[in-house]
Amino acid sequence: MSMVDRNNPQRGSASESTYSLMEFMREFPDDVACLDFIWRTRHAPDGHLTYCPKCERERRFHRVKARPSYDCDSCGYHLHPLKGTIFEKSATSLHLWFYAMYLMSQTRCGVSAKHLERELGVTYKTAWRMANLIRNQLMDQADEPPLSGKVEADETYIGGRRRGTKRGRPSADSHKTPVFGMVERKGRIVVLTVPNAQAKTLMPHVEEHVIPGSMLYTDELASYHSLPKRGYGHGSVTHSEKVYVSGDVHTNTIEGFFGNLKRGIAGNYHAVSRKWLQGYLNEYAFRYNHRASAGGPFKRLLVRAAT
């Protein structure tokens, strides 16, 4: 600990957005604690009292020991809190599911299925299926509200480069996957795979995810030239002339995200196919969007899993 830290123990302490492994183990030590969390979130915030469809009124429920369900104290009606979630009909321990969600949401650059296999003690097939469901169902960007204010937009390409080809924007027959991203400054991000970077492809995504009247900052790509006609403010920098910042106009925020994304993919996953890339984009966007949430991205992921 530095001299500053010794003189002021509060300096550098964990913020509300952090959630340590020790906190996770205290709050979710076993399957029962995990099941109770889902039960309280979906049905009974106070732990017991909820509506019974058979009695047609609020009743007290108690947990059934032999199965993951809760039983009405009056009529014996069973409620299954895992129904409709990614945990339904899964033979994997609920505690292992929660731990996998913790690892994927709290690590900065993500974890591979091989890492989950080692951490959880499950087969690679099980670890990959768990990671795929978490990315594509719990971390999906479809429910995110639209962006507004000052928004940066840019495109990049993910994938290896064939031998003998030059760097830069790939040709139409390239195996690289185009990725389009939009980010609020000091806010949230939306990042999507797209077939190409043409205006007819990018503009519908802008109109869907950015509120009209917002200010968009881009590079000099011609696809963005129609933004003013669509009701958006537009400022651009000419990267080809080595102009990267002009007053308030730049795309450094989105390019920084792309840099972390590419380093994370190269370091953890090595290569990602076009088919599954959107799931990995969901994962990185989810951690970015909920980086300042109370309890960190993990608590937000738990709420999504239980609703």
Side-chain angles (χ1 to χ4, degrees):
M1 183 181 291
S2 67
M3 183 64 69
V4 174
D5 291 331
R6 283 194 290 267
N7 294 335
N8 182 8
Q10 296 300 319
R11 187 181 180 90
S13 61
S15 66
E16 291 185 356
S17 63
T18 61
Y19 188 79
S20 70
L21 178 60
M22 294 299 101
E23 290 176 297
F24 169 80
M25 295 304 295
R26 284 195 297 268
E27 188 170 0
F28 302 107
D30 51 30
D31 283 0
V32 173
C34 298
L35 183 64
D36 283 344
F37 174 85
I38 297 176
W39 165 254
R40 293 193 305 270
T41 304
R42 300 193 78 183
H43 298 287
D46 68 343
H48 299 284
L49 193 65
T50 190
Y51 178 79
C52 176
K54 188 174 180 179
C55 298
E56 297 184 344
R57 58 179 297 181
E58 286 194 336
R59 294 291 194 185
R60 293 184 67 84
F61 280 71
H62 65 273
R63 182 172 51 82
V64 179
K65 293 183 179 180
R67 63 184 67 180
S69 65
Y70 288 74
D71 192 22
C72 177
D73 289 354
S74 300
C75 68
Y77 183 83
H78 281 236
L79 283 177
H80 300 268
L82 301 185
K83 184 177 181 180
T85 70
I86 64 172
F87 316 119
E88 184 181 9
K89 298 182 180 180
S90 173
T92 305
S93 161
L94 195 57
H95 186 238
L96 292 184
W97 271 104
F98 273 47
Y99 186 43
M101 291 161 58
Y102 172 82
L103 291 175
M104 292 182 64
S105 60
Q106 293 296 114
T107 52
R108 182 175 179 83
C109 293
V111 294
S112 65
K114 288 297 295 183
H115 186 82
L116 287 181
E117 175 190 356
R118 293 188 294 268
E119 287 282 336
L120 305 182
V122 298
T123 64
Y124 176 76
K125 182 178 179 180
T126 298
W128 187 91
R129 177 181 176 273
M130 293 170 71
N132 192 49
L133 286 174
I134 292 170
R135 288 190 189 103
N136 289 287
Q137 294 192 27
L138 301 188
M139 295 179 168
D140 184 34
Q141 302 174 66
D143 296 333
E144 293 289 345
L147 310 178
S148 61
K150 295 181 179 180
V151 179
E152 299 177 21
D154 197 17
E155 74 290 337
T156 191
Y157 298 84
I158 294 181
R161 180 168 59 92
R162 287 195 178 98
R163 292 182 180 179
T165 60
K166 297 181 179 180
R167 295 184 181 274
R169 186 169 287 111
S171 59
D173 63 344
S174 172
H175 65 307
K176 285 179 176 285
T177 304
V179 172
F180 180 52
M182 297 158 283
V183 61
E184 292 174 334
R185 290 184 179 173
K186 298 182 180 181
R188 295 170 295 105
I189 193 169
V190 173
V191 57
L192 309 160
T193 58
V194 291
N196 54 63
Q198 298 175 9
K200 63 181 180 181
T201 300
L202 302 186
M203 289 304 104
H205 291 299
V206 173
E207 294 173 335
E208 178 182 358
H209 295 287
V210 183
I211 294 177
S214 303
M215 185 69 185
L216 267 78
Y217 299 107
T218 71
D219 56 21
E220 70 275 24
L221 184 68
S223 300
Y224 302 118
H225 291 176
S226 64
L227 283 171
K229 298 180 181 179
R230 299 173 184 268
Y232 298 96
H234 184 215
S236 63
V237 286
T238 310
H239 289 169
S240 59
E241 297 180 2
K242 300 188 182 301
V243 177
Y244 301 100
V245 179
S246 178
D248 197 35
V249 183
H250 63 79
T251 57
N252 293 343
T253 309
I254 187 66
E255 289 175 357
F257 175 85
F258 284 152
N260 290 333
L261 169 67
K262 290 180 178 181
R263 283 191 293 271
I265 288 178
N268 289 290
Y269 312 113
H270 305 305
V272 176
S273 68
R274 185 188 300 262
K275 178 181 178 180
W276 302 110
L277 178 58
Q278 184 60 58
Y280 292 87
L281 300 181
N282 291 343
E283 178 183 350
Y284 279 80
F286 181 86
R287 284 195 294 267
Y288 185 93
N289 289 340
H290 301 286
R291 63 196 183 279
S293 301
F298 173 64
K299 283 300 184 72
R300 180 57 187 163
L301 195 62
L302 282 183
V303 173
R304 285 195 175 189
T307 54

